[in-house]
Amino acid sequence: MDGLVQFQRQLVDYTASLFHEGFLDEQFNQLQQLQDESNPDFVVEVVSLFFEDSERLLNELAKSLDQQSVDFKRIDAHVHQLKGSSSSIGAQRVQKVCIAFRNYCDEQNTEGCLKCLQQVKHEYSLVKTKLETLFKLEQQVLAAGGSIPLPI
Amino acid sequence: MEGGSGGSCSSMEKVMGNYGDQPHVLAVDDNLIDRKLVEKLLKNSSCKVTTAENGLKALEYLGLGVDGRNKLDTNVSKMNLIITDYCMPGMTGYELLKKIKESSIMKEVPVVIMSSENIPTRITKCLEEGAQMFMLKPLKQSDVKKLRSDLMSCRR
């Protein structure tokens, strides 16, 4: 029983820290609230889609910025997608960089865009690690016989 | 800024009246994550959901040819609501809305536009073109529940 309480405590604390540090926002809570018995892996499924989609977009962005003649419209379209998905899952810090990124696209500023690409890759990699850790902590709770508390 | 209802209750009644408890909704969005989300939100509100990834596929599903002419086996009798993203490559949600409103068979079906951008002129343009409602993304469960109950309140 001690183990379970320990794991639950860890999960609650870790989740709180992710919100506190701005990695996640309220939209992530919305996602968790959508999960139910008919779809118990909903959050993991959506987040996995987000990982796949983001990696694809980041690759496209790197390629586009590497061209002789930079196609800012194309880059903006990709960043718009990334901004949308990160917003939809509550990945706040990724979303914020996307906003700055789009401004540089509007200005047709290649340097600025390259800087933002580095930033967004960094933020993406951070939130990916954090979310994977969060899911592992959830698994621990479940394996110890507990259940995941719903966000308030 | 959310739009108020643009359509009259009785025209919505005609379309919504016979769906039993599960309205059939067509959700259109080019973003994969958003499609999955809106589908879940709608299913949680007891809707049957079909998704489309762009305007052309949506029109195909609805049985509307791109040239505006209607094909024979349409899904119109089964469609109770269309909810579409505004920013999509190729055909925007606004253009899709126009095509639907221009169609003699589909124009009664309520269309809701979603967007991550809160641009008043965009919102007005959509409402003037006949959109039932404009919703800001990311959508929350409460937004969809409200939408569902707004549609329900037109049923007698």
Side-chain angles (χ1 to χ4, degrees):
Chain A
M1 227 11 179
D2 269 345
L4 173 58
V5 172
Q6 194 75 305
F7 292 147
Q8 281 174 327
R9 173 57 152 283
Q10 258 189 296
L11 176 61
V12 168
D13 287 350
Y14 191 71
T15 309
S17 75
L18 295 187
F19 278 84
H20 187 66
E21 289 161 30
F23 287 104
L24 297 177
D25 65 25
E26 169 57 30
Q27 189 58 23
F28 188 76
N29 278 338
Q30 285 287 319
L31 217 70
Q32 289 180 305
Q33 282 167 7
L34 285 179
Q35 191 160 283
D36 55 25
E37 308 83 47
S38 75
N39 211 323
D41 298 315
F42 182 71
V43 180
V44 172
E45 279 169 20
V46 177
V47 172
S48 302
L49 277 178
F50 169 72
F51 290 161
E52 271 173 46
D53 203 52
S54 301
E55 277 156 39
R56 176 186 64 87
L57 288 168
L58 289 171
N59 283 334
E60 289 295 323
L61 284 168
K63 265 193 247 162
S64 298
L65 279 168
D66 206 27
Q67 302 299 313
Q68 278 277 24
S69 161
V70 177
D71 185 348
F72 288 103
K73 267 208 154 105
R74 191 181 156 84
I75 292 173
D76 184 70
H78 288 322
V79 179
H80 175 79
Q81 285 286 314
L82 187 56
K83 176 170 161 281
S85 355
S86 55
S87 160
S88 293
I89 68 148
Q92 193 183 65
R93 282 160 65 146
V94 175
Q95 186 197 352
K96 285 203 163 121
V97 180
C98 288
I99 294 171
F101 204 150
R102 290 193 82 190
N103 288 334
Y104 283 122
C105 285
D106 284 343
E107 293 167 19
Q108 311 225 336
N109 181 336
T110 310
E111 277 310 301
C113 284
L114 282 166
K115 199 181 72 176
C116 277
L117 177 59
Q118 287 320 304
Q119 264 184 291
V120 82
K121 275 165 112 166
H122 177 68
E123 287 300 340
Y124 166 72
S125 148
L126 282 176
V127 81
K128 181 167 193 256
T129 306
K130 305 276 178 191
L131 284 168
E132 285 172 340
T133 305
L134 180 67
F135 293 148
K136 280 188 209 144
L137 290 173
E138 284 184 349
Q139 283 309 305
Q140 266 181 184
V141 168
L142 290 173
S147 54
I148 317 295
L150 271 180
I152 303 151
Chain B
M1 193 178 130
E2 255 188 23
S5 30
S8 69
C9 258
S10 61
S11 72
M12 291 236 292
E13 212 173 66
K14 251 191 274 171
V15 181
M16 301 295 287
N18 298 321
Y19 65 76
D21 285 323
Q22 284 229 324
H24 189 179
V25 183
L26 175 65
V28 192
D29 198 318
D30 60 317
N31 187 303
L32 177 59
I33 286 91
D34 287 347
R35 268 201 309 279
K36 193 162 166 91
L37 263 182
V38 78
E39 182 183 41
K40 188 72 165 90
L41 284 166
L42 290 165
K43 281 184 170 162
N44 279 14
S45 285
S46 319
C47 295
K48 177 173 174 230
V49 187
T50 299
T51 59
E53 62 187 10
N54 60 48
L56 279 180
K57 296 222 158 106
L59 288 176
E60 251 176 59
Y61 183 78
L62 294 170
L64 303 180
V66 186
D67 53 12
R69 270 179 284 148
N70 305 329
K71 300 192 181 138
L72 279 177
D73 317 310
T74 69
N75 283 303
V76 64
S77 55
K78 310 170 202 156
M79 203 52 61
N80 303 114
L81 171 71
I82 296 159
I83 179 165
T84 176
D85 191 24
Y86 181 93
C87 277
M88 297 189 291
M91 188 185 292
T92 65
Y94 176 72
E95 287 158 354
L96 175 60
L97 165 69
K98 276 176 78 171
K99 286 250 175 329
I100 291 166
K101 292 302 168 186
E102 281 162 13
S103 145
S104 51
I105 46 165
M106 290 300 296
K107 64 182 178 188
E108 299 294 318
V109 180
V111 181
V112 171
I113 309 271
M114 320 177 261
S115 177
S116 55
E117 290 163 317
N118 190 348
I119 300 173
T121 48
R122 174 182 292 182
I123 297 169
T124 314
K125 189 175 76 164
C126 291
L127 295 178
E128 281 175 353
E129 196 58 42
Q132 195 64 33
M133 215 189 224
F134 187 99
M135 296 171 81
L136 268 185
K137 283 165 109 175
L139 294 189
K140 298 182 176 17
Q141 187 71 87
S142 55
D143 295 331
V144 176
K145 286 205 149 49
K146 177 169 194 309
L147 173 64
R148 180 78 161 78
S149 76
D150 281 357
L151 294 177
M152 286 296 285
S153 68
C154 282
R155 275 184 90 192
R156 294 288 175 266

